[in-house]
PDB file of all heavy atoms in Angstrom:
ATOM      1  N   HIS F 161      89.804  92.116  95.916  1.00 93.00           N
ATOM      2  CA  HIS F 161      90.151  93.369  96.633  1.00 93.00           C
ATOM      3  C   HIS F 161      90.325  93.117  98.113  1.00 93.00           C
ATOM      4  O   HIS F 161      91.161  93.667  98.732  1.00 93.00           O
ATOM      5  CB  HIS F 161      89.149  94.456  96.337  1.00 93.00           C
ATOM      6  CG  HIS F 161      89.242  94.934  94.870  1.00 93.00           C
ATOM      7  ND1 HIS F 161      90.324  95.738  94.443  1.00 93.00           N
ATOM      8  CD2 HIS F 161      88.365  94.861  93.849  1.00 93.00           C
ATOM      9  CE1 HIS F 161      90.148  96.053  93.165  1.00 93.00           C
ATOM     10  NE2 HIS F 161      88.955  95.453  92.783  1.00 93.00           N
ATOM     11  N   ILE F 162      89.370  92.367  98.626  1.00 93.00           N
ATOM     12  CA  ILE F 162      89.447  91.999 100.059  1.00 93.00           C
ATOM     13  C   ILE F 162      90.738  91.307 100.405  1.00 93.00           C
ATOM     14  O   ILE F 162      91.459  91.504 101.368  1.00 93.00           O
ATOM     15  CB  ILE F 162      88.197  91.173 100.490  1.00 93.00           C
ATOM     16  CG1 ILE F 162      87.026  92.025 100.493  1.00 93.00           C
ATOM     17  CG2 ILE F 162      88.411  90.604 101.950  1.00 93.00           C
ATOM     18  CD1 ILE F 162      85.679  91.286 100.734  1.00 93.00           C
ATOM     19  N   ALA F 163      91.019  90.319  99.573  1.00 93.00           N
ATOM     20  CA  ALA F 163      92.261  89.499  99.772  1.00 93.00           C
ATOM     21  C   ALA F 163      93.576  90.368  99.643  1.00 93.00           C
ATOM     22  O   ALA F 163      94.442  90.234 100.423  1.00 93.00           O
ATOM     23  CB  ALA F 163      92.354  88.364  98.667  1.00 93.00           C
ATOM     24  N   ILE F 164      93.532  91.287  98.616  1.00 95.00           N
ATOM     25  CA  ILE F 164      94.669  92.143  98.507  1.00 95.00           C
ATOM     26  C   ILE F 164      94.833  93.026  99.781  1.00 95.00           C
ATOM     27  O   ILE F 164      95.942  93.177 100.268  1.00 95.00           O
ATOM     28  CB  ILE F 164      94.474  93.100  97.324  1.00 95.00           C
ATOM     29  CG1 ILE F 164      94.560  92.276  95.955  1.00 95.00           C
ATOM     30  CG2 ILE F 164      95.551  94.243  97.288  1.00 95.00           C
ATOM     31  CD1 ILE F 164      94.141  93.119  94.727  1.00 95.00           C
ATOM     32  N   GLY F 165      93.749  93.539 100.291  1.00 94.00           N
ATOM     33  CA  GLY F 165      93.815  94.397 101.540  1.00 94.00           C
ATOM     34  C   GLY F 165      94.346  93.552 102.744  1.00 94.00           C
ATOM     35  O   GLY F 165      95.102  94.078 103.537  1.00 94.00           O
ATOM     36  N   ILE F 166      93.765  92.328 102.914  1.00 94.00           N
ATOM     37  CA  ILE F 166      94.207  91.493 104.012  1.00 94.00           C
ATOM     38  C   ILE F 166      95.684  91.176 103.881  1.00 94.00           C
ATOM     39  O   ILE F 166      96.439  91.316 104.919  1.00 94.00           O
ATOM     40  CB  ILE F 166      93.417  90.238 104.067  1.00 94.00           C
ATOM     41  CG1 ILE F 166      91.918  90.558 104.439  1.00 94.00           C
ATOM     42  CG2 ILE F 166      93.954  89.192 105.036  1.00 94.00           C
ATOM     43  CD1 ILE F 166      90.922  89.360 104.304  1.00 94.00           C
ATOM     44  N   PHE F 167      96.225  90.758 102.787  1.00 94.00           N
ATOM     45  CA  PHE F 167      97.525  90.380 102.539  1.00 94.00           C
ATOM     46  C   PHE F 167      98.481  91.661 102.727  1.00 94.00           C
ATOM     47  O   PHE F 167      99.550  91.468 103.189  1.00 94.00           O
ATOM     48  CB  PHE F 167      97.769  89.780 101.218  1.00 94.00           C
ATOM     49  CG  PHE F 167      97.557  88.267 101.170  1.00 94.00           C
ATOM     50  CD1 PHE F 167      96.297  87.771 101.070  1.00 94.00           C
ATOM     51  CD2 PHE F 167      98.624  87.400 101.409  1.00 94.00           C
ATOM     52  CE1 PHE F 167      96.008  86.345 101.039  1.00 94.00           C
ATOM     53  CE2 PHE F 167      98.353  86.033 101.365  1.00 94.00           C
ATOM     54  CZ  PHE F 167      97.146  85.514 101.167  1.00 94.00           C
ATOM     55  N   SER F 168      98.001  92.756 102.346  1.00 96.00           N
ATOM     56  CA  SER F 168      98.706  93.970 102.471  1.00 96.00           C
ATOM     57  C   SER F 168      99.014  94.308 103.971  1.00 96.00           C
ATOM     58  O   SER F 168     100.109  94.672 104.328  1.00 96.00           O
ATOM     59  CB  SER F 168      97.948  95.168 101.832  1.00 96.00           C
ATOM     60  OG  SER F 168      98.645  96.374 101.983  1.00 96.00           O
ATOM     61  N   VAL F 169      97.963  94.197 104.790  1.00 96.00           N
ATOM     62  CA  VAL F 169      98.102  94.451 106.206  1.00 96.00           C
ATOM     63  C   VAL F 169      98.928  93.386 106.897  1.00 96.00           C
ATOM     64  O   VAL F 169      99.827  93.709 107.672  1.00 96.00           O
ATOM     65  CB  VAL F 169      96.724  94.556 106.839  1.00 96.00           C
ATOM     66  CG1 VAL F 169      96.785  94.691 108.367  1.00 96.00           C
ATOM     67  CG2 VAL F 169      95.938  95.759 106.298  1.00 96.00           C
TER      68      VAL F 169
END
Side-chain angles (χ1 to χ4, degrees):
H161 289 290
I162 291 174
I164 292 170
I166 291 173
F167 274 84
S168 177
V169 172

